[in-house]
Amino acid sequence: MIIGEFNESYPPLMDGVGQVVEHYTHDLNLRGHEVFAVVAGDADAPRYDESVGEKNTIRTRMYALPLVKPYGIVRVSKKVRVEVEKIPFDIVHAHSPFYMGSFAEKIARKRNVPLVSTFHSQFKDDILGVVHSRIIANIAVKFLIRHYKKADEVWAPSLGSARILKEYGYKGNVFIVENASDMPVPSEEEKKALAKEGLESIGKKSGDVPVLLYVGQLKVEKNIMLILKALKVLKDSGFRFLMVFVGSGPDQGHMESYIAKNGLSDYVRFTGKITDRKKLQTYYAAASLFLFPSFYDTFGIVKVEAAAFSVPVVFAAGSCIAEDITDGENGFVANNDPVSYAEKIIAVVSDKNLLEKVGLGARKSLYRNWDMVASEVEARYKALIEKKRR
């Protein structure tokens, strides 16, 4: 098959959707298909593609906007448009309803091939974060839903995300295609060696206090202030811990101000964005517990990455990403308030047997690799192409 994967974000811009597109492209190419990542990027992105040997990446320019940086306005140049229109696609897949989703629609229509579109993120929240008007956000959402109505098949990574898309106004069928992790499950010896390296990176020689971990964008939409307020409750109760935030984002300065004001500086480390996947594994290996109370995420690849290392996650009750979690079996679910969240952390970390049992439960029920996903995606693509031809 000749396949097009369309999206705004793509490495080196490291967000969840960009990682999905990267793995679809890479793993389907390994299966003998010709897959093109038709994506956006800043002025430095082509140099990144050259450095990693990307051959089937077609870049158009994205100009960052202050309120949504590193995201922004995408301009599909005439050169890129002509290049993409010449490719004899068998199927195209849009991973966003914005600029590149619209471009994918046009290519699918021009080629008369199937269009798949995946609903990855709660874009209504993104719009509200910029316009601060529910009326304008609702109008924008209605416009964007038209994109999904034009698709031959609509996918979502979880039942919760499918439900949100329905709440936005989409009436058609939604097929669940879960995401995965590129991190292999380590042996006990490998995990110990990685954990030692991770502890050294954050200035610890041993696991004398529990390491709490968060990996992702540092922005308030991720419910990150709940984590900070829960940390204050932990500190005030005399609970010893070290919190590690891996990532970067627009609200890091706000977080650092809260940390300094509430005497948490000795309890928290920021590593910045880590693109080295091997280095990132060392932090997962060193962690006792992963904190991820986000209501924004529709799947959360990080929970699969944590599961690879048998690290349980503490979710917030009612979130999409907690829908496949049974509290005390393959993860932990706490109420969405600082005291409840902190109490759950204390109860879990204080019970080593429970921590180990739930970590293994997470690995067994939540972990899947991208080869498993690629097999499912390949079969769905083939079926859609055959249906379209008939």
Side-chain angles (χ1 to χ4, degrees):
M1 293 179 286
I2 300 176
I3 302 162
E5 304 288 343
F6 289 68
N7 192 48
E8 281 79 17
S9 63
Y10 195 72
L13 200 170
M14 295 296 288
D15 65 9
V17 184
Q19 287 184 58
V20 172
V21 177
E22 180 187 32
H23 286 291
Y24 273 37
T25 303
H26 179 262
D27 287 65
L28 289 167
N29 270 319
L30 288 178
R31 287 172 171 265
H33 306 290
E34 190 172 7
V35 191
F36 294 86
V38 185
V39 294
D42 62 16
D44 293 328
R47 281 194 288 273
Y48 168 83
D49 295 338
E50 187 177 343
S51 71
V52 297
E54 290 279 11
K55 295 180 180 178
N56 280 16
T57 301
I58 300 173
R59 292 275 188 181
T60 193
R61 185 68 190 276
M62 179 157 62
Y63 299 88
L65 293 174
L67 289 175
V68 292
K69 195 176 180 180
Y71 308 98
I73 295 173
V74 174
R75 178 179 173 270
V76 180
S77 67
K78 183 179 179 180
K79 178 185 175 184
V80 168
R81 193 178 300 280
V82 170
E83 182 181 1
V84 174
E85 286 178 352
K86 286 180 179 178
I87 300 170
F89 290 113
D90 294 305
I91 190 167
V92 297
H93 190 154
H95 292 267
S96 97
F98 299 104
Y99 304 98
M100 301 310 288
S102 177
F103 189 26
E105 285 175 32
K106 291 172 184 174
I107 297 300
R109 188 163 59 246
K110 189 178 183 70
R111 283 278 169 195
N112 193 29
V113 298
L115 169 67
V116 179
S117 187
T118 297
F119 174 70
H120 283 287
S121 59
Q122 300 188 53
F123 50 74
K124 186 175 181 178
D125 289 351
D126 294 327
I127 296 166
L128 278 170
V130 176
V131 301
H132 306 294
S133 166
R134 290 202 170 272
I135 294 173
I136 295 174
N138 288 335
I139 292 170
V141 166
K142 284 182 180 180
F143 178 80
L144 292 170
I145 288 298
R146 291 164 56 190
H147 163 79
Y148 296 99
K149 291 178 180 178
K150 294 175 184 176
D152 293 270
E153 199 163 275
V154 174
W155 297 1
S158 66
L159 287 171
S161 55
R163 187 190 69 248
I164 289 168
L165 182 57
K166 297 277 189 179
E167 290 171 358
Y168 283 1
Y170 178 72
K171 305 297 183 185
N173 293 326
V174 181
F175 296 85
I176 307 303
V177 180
E178 294 184 358
N179 296 327
S181 170
D182 62 349
M183 292 184 180
V185 176
S187 67
E188 282 303 312
E189 285 188 4
E190 288 171 333
K191 185 177 177 181
K192 284 180 183 177
L194 288 167
K196 183 174 182 293
E197 186 180 336
L199 290 170
E200 288 173 353
S201 295
I202 54 178
K204 289 171 88 311
K205 294 183 179 178
S206 65
D208 53 340
V209 298
V211 174
L212 310 177
L213 180 66
Y214 170 90
V215 177
Q217 294 184 68
L218 304 182
K219 58 181 186 178
V220 294
E221 289 89 346
K222 298 268 193 175
N223 204 18
I224 213 160
M225 291 307 297
L226 174 70
I227 296 177
L228 293 182
K229 290 174 182 177
L231 297 182
K232 183 178 184 304
V233 175
L234 293 178
K235 182 198 71 118
D236 292 345
S237 67
F239 184 78
R240 297 174 66 236
F241 66 91
L242 182 64
M243 179 73 214
V244 179
F245 288 99
V246 177
S248 61
D251 295 314
Q252 182 170 339
H254 177 60
M255 293 170 65
E256 289 173 336
S257 295
Y258 182 92
I259 287 164
K261 183 178 178 181
N262 289 278
L264 289 166
S265 298
D266 292 339
Y267 296 81
V268 179
R269 301 282 187 277
F270 288 95
T271 70
K273 182 170 71 172
I274 296 176
T275 56
D276 183 334
R277 302 295 285 167
K278 190 71 174 180
K279 181 69 175 176
L280 184 56
Q281 289 179 53
T282 68
Y283 289 101
Y284 279 112
S288 305
L289 202 59
F290 193 99
L291 307 185
F292 201 57
S294 174
F295 284 86
Y296 173 81
D297 290 81
T298 59
F299 182 83
I301 291 174
V302 289
K303 77 177 182 183
V304 187
E305 293 176 349
F309 289 84
S310 302
V311 178
V313 180
V314 183
F315 300 91
S319 63
C320 273
I321 51 176
E323 289 203 346
D324 56 352
I325 303 302
T326 301
D327 187 45
E329 291 188 16
N330 62 348
F332 299 101
V333 182
N335 291 332
N336 186 36
D337 71 83
V339 173
S340 297
Y341 204 78
E343 288 175 347
K344 178 67 78 171
I345 293 169
I346 293 171
V348 168
V349 173
S350 302
D351 189 337
K352 292 285 197 300
N353 291 331
L354 177 64
L355 200 60
E356 183 177 349
K357 184 196 89 169
V358 176
L360 290 173
R363 192 178 75 189
K364 289 176 182 176
S365 68
L366 301 178
Y367 179 77
R368 64 194 313 228
N369 59 44
W370 283 108
D371 185 59
M372 297 161 65
V373 176
S375 177
E376 181 182 355
V377 169
E378 180 183 52
R380 284 185 174 275
Y381 281 175
K382 285 180 177 178
L384 276 168
I385 291 168
E386 183 59 30
K387 182 180 177 182
K388 189 83 169 181
R389 284 173 180 167
R390 289 201 304 269

